[in-house]
Amino acid sequence: MSLVTTLIAHRRHRVFGRLVQELLALYGVEVPAPVEIGPGLKVYHRGFGTVLHPYTTLGADVTLYNGVTIGRADPWVPQEQSAMERVVLEDGVMVCAGAKIVCKRGVLTVGAGTIVGANAVLTTSTGPNEIWAGAPARRIGTRKGPAGATDGALLHSA
């Protein structure tokens, strides 16, 4: 487990939580205490520049690269007036470097085993084991089922 992943896991600590948040800030990582995180989170390249909205849920074995942003598509609107409810990344999702996942309204769900490509801007929910890329992101293919989901193998292009 990397130092940043360990710090993220301890960000809610009763005594050291504030110190942990400040240490994460040195890496440019913002993971508020309300973010729900499943087991097996992997953060690569120390997560430099990674920002997660408080209304984010990460499933088990999610992988985040540096520069990832997960949040609202309407940051100019006060939070209590926003139409965004939550962003959910299901189990085994991989979000590549610089990708942005922004929710316009309701709940945006990234399906289990989905890959969001580098610098993609994802604004819609995805199905399981899909590959999304581009700005705005579009589905460019699918992955093999759960057994092959970790190797990133392309099953077919869209």
Side-chain angles (χ1 to χ4, degrees):
M1 186 181 305
S2 73
L3 173 62
V4 172
T5 305
T6 301
L7 289 172
I8 289 170
H10 290 90
R11 75 196 187 292
R12 293 181 176 175
H13 191 277
R14 202 169 51 84
V15 177
F16 299 111
R18 178 69 180 161
L19 175 61
V20 168
Q21 290 288 4
E22 294 301 321
L23 289 172
L24 285 170
L26 292 175
Y27 285 104
V29 175
E30 186 176 329
V31 182
V35 174
E36 298 173 14
I37 300 176
L41 174 67
K42 292 179 271 323
V43 179
Y44 288 108
H45 308 295
R46 296 191 175 114
F48 284 110
T50 296
V51 178
L52 305 183
H53 190 277
Y55 298 160
T56 300
T57 299
L58 304 180
D61 301 317
V62 168
T63 301
L64 302 177
Y65 282 85
N66 54 302
V68 168
T69 299
I70 299 175
R72 297 188 307 150
D74 59 354
W76 57 88
V77 176
Q79 176 65 48
E80 58 276 1
Q81 295 175 8
S82 176
M84 176 204 165
E85 293 176 29
R86 182 162 284 285
V87 177
V88 177
L89 277 62
E90 294 180 342
D91 298 349
V93 168
M94 179 182 294
V95 185
C96 296
K100 312 302 179 221
I101 299 174
V102 290
C103 182
K104 295 178 181 179
R105 64 181 49 89
V107 177
L108 186 152
T109 301
V110 180
T114 292
I115 297 174
V116 180
N119 296 315
V121 180
L122 183 69
T123 60
T124 61
S125 292
T126 75
N129 297 313
E130 294 181 344
I131 303 170
W132 287 69
R138 63 184 180 85
R139 188 173 69 93
I140 61 168
T142 57
R143 298 172 76 186
K144 293 180 182 178
T150 58
D151 65 7
L154 184 64
L155 184 58
H156 71 288
S157 297

